[in-house]
Amino acid sequence: MILKLTNKSENFYNYLGKFFGSRIVEITTQDRIYDDNNKTWYIYLESDVVTSFISIANDKIKNIYSTNSDHLEKLLNYLKEDTLILPSTVTNAYVEIYTKCNFNISSDNYKNFVKIWSKENE
């Protein structure tokens, strides 16, 4: 199941609270996750457990985290159908999945991050 939430949504922190400030998330993604007011969150749930999430602000992906590559792939493909995705700087931890989802990828001048954007938006 995919949910679309903001930090004002009921149960938002029940689903995502444990990820904010998580050392596991930071080590995996080389990124910190914040619950900024301007973000929309796409969350993939399996048996009411978050397996993947993506945050978006101003048509740019801000955060990505996943413990299940198949779920992240489904979430990214869903996202491409639901919203415009402008060039976004994201963790390089999931480059193989970005490729499978047919994103353009540029790694110029980034150590732990890549820039991705939808080929459909060219």
Side-chain angles (χ1 to χ4, degrees):
M1 171 194 321
I2 295 175
L3 300 177
K4 183 178 175 181
L5 306 172
T6 70
N7 65 356
K8 304 288 188 255
S9 300
E10 185 177 340
N11 292 324
F12 175 81
Y13 289 100
N14 290 340
Y15 290 124
L16 292 176
K18 69 181 181 179
F19 297 103
F20 301 117
S22 167
R23 300 292 286 156
I24 293 170
V25 171
E26 185 176 350
I27 289 167
T28 301
T29 64
Q30 299 298 304
D31 196 9
R32 292 189 177 161
I33 309 296
Y34 297 101
D35 59 340
D36 302 316
N37 288 331
N38 63 333
K39 292 179 182 174
T40 301
W41 296 79
Y42 292 80
I43 303 166
Y44 194 103
L45 294 177
E46 182 175 68
S47 301
D48 215 33
V49 173
V50 176
T51 62
S52 301
F53 63 78
I54 299 170
S55 71
I56 303 278
N58 302 317
D59 298 322
K60 293 183 179 184
I61 297 174
K62 296 299 184 179
N63 306 107
I64 297 177
Y65 178 72
S66 182
T67 59
N68 183 305
S69 59
D70 291 336
H71 294 174
L72 181 56
E73 183 179 348
K74 289 177 185 175
L75 194 56
L76 282 165
N77 285 324
Y78 175 88
L79 187 64
K80 284 171 49 177
E81 295 293 321
D82 192 57
T83 189
L84 173 71
I85 301 173
L86 296 176
S88 306
T89 303
V90 296
T91 178
N92 66 4
Y94 309 110
V95 168
E96 292 153 4
I97 300 168
Y98 308 147
T99 301
K100 283 179 80 173
C101 292
N102 206 29
F103 280 95
N104 285 315
I105 302 170
S106 171
S107 59
D108 296 342
N109 302 319
Y110 296 105
K111 180 179 176 185
N112 298 314
F113 300 90
V114 295
K115 188 166 280 200
I116 65 171
W117 63 98
S118 298
K119 290 184 177 182
E120 295 84 1
N121 295 338
E122 291 185 324

